């Protein structure tokens, strides 16, 4: 299993608009082979910003990489960038992880 | 849902011992009310270290906080610190997240 995270720093007065942009965004993930699950996460205040993280679980790294090469990926990321005011500070930071241990309830 | 992460920086020559310490560690999570799932994650090289993250999903923040006050938490964290050589650099960085959006395959 492979987990792709993107970390976003959001100014407190932009937090509501940032969350709304995710809730109303069209997602293409459900149609992608190897997609398992997506969570959008809200962290705590860190000084001047709130930390958010998107968190997508894939069957394996190959499934994630196929998504990044897909037309749907290009379309959704162009849309996220274009037209709307910028809702986060700087750039999202990408982190990819392989799962090496799993314990379920 | 609440996700508790701890981020660890591990020197490449300690990576195997670090992973083994997790694989062989006794976990008490399964017995905790509100525990959903645990993943131990291996990220990529960042300069001089490899980023690892532990990632525990709880029913809600209250369930996580009850765990941090439990005897099992104290016992497992004393054991992790005591006796064995230190397998990571600096301190783990804790980050807690509330889930505000979920998409399943």
């Amino acid at each position: 299993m492979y987990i792709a995270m993107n970390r976003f720093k959001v100014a407190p007065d932009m937090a509501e608009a940032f969350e709304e942009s995710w809730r109303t965004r069209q997602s293409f993930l459900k149609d992608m082979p190897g997609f398992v699950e997506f969570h959008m996460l809200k962290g705590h205040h860190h000084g001047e910003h709130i930390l958010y993280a998107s968190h997508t679980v894939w069957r394996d790294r190959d499934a994630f990489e196929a998504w990044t090469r897909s037309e749907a990926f290009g379309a959704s990321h162009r849309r996220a960038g274009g037209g709307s005011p910028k809702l986060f500070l700087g750039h999202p930071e990408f982190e990819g992880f392989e799962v090496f241990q799993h314990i379920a309830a």
Side-chain angles (χ1 to χ4, degrees), chain A:
Chain A
M1 219 152 72
Y2 185 78
I3 299 190
M5 292 187 73
N6 264 304
R7 297 157 66 82
F8 301 86
K9 294 174 181 174
V10 178
D13 61 348
M14 297 302 271
E16 204 171 307
F18 178 82
E19 292 186 25
E20 188 61 15
S21 76
W22 283 90
R23 285 199 195 93
T24 57
R25 185 184 193 186
Q26 188 184 356
S27 173
F28 301 94
L29 291 171
K30 271 175 112 92
D31 302 322
M32 297 303 300
F35 168 70
V36 177
E37 199 174 16
F38 171 88
H39 286 108
M40 191 64 205
L41 307 176
K42 179 178 191 170
H44 301 291
H45 278 260
H46 290 257
E48 304 277 290
H49 67 268
I50 302 172
L51 179 66
Y52 285 82
S54 70
H55 174 184
T56 315
V57 182
W58 296 92
R59 188 185 51 220
D60 53 31
R61 187 170 174 166
D62 287 349
F64 163 70
E65 291 186 348
W67 153 242
T68 65
R69 290 188 303 264
S70 70
E71 269 192 49
F73 179 88
S76 66
H77 287 73
R78 273 193 301 280
R79 189 165 18 247
S84 54
K86 195 148 171 281
L87 299 172
F88 50 86
L89 308 168
H91 294 279
E93 290 168 55
F94 174 78
E95 292 173 348
F97 295 97
E98 301 281 350
V99 175
F100 76 83
Q101 188 183 21
H102 179 226
I103 300 169

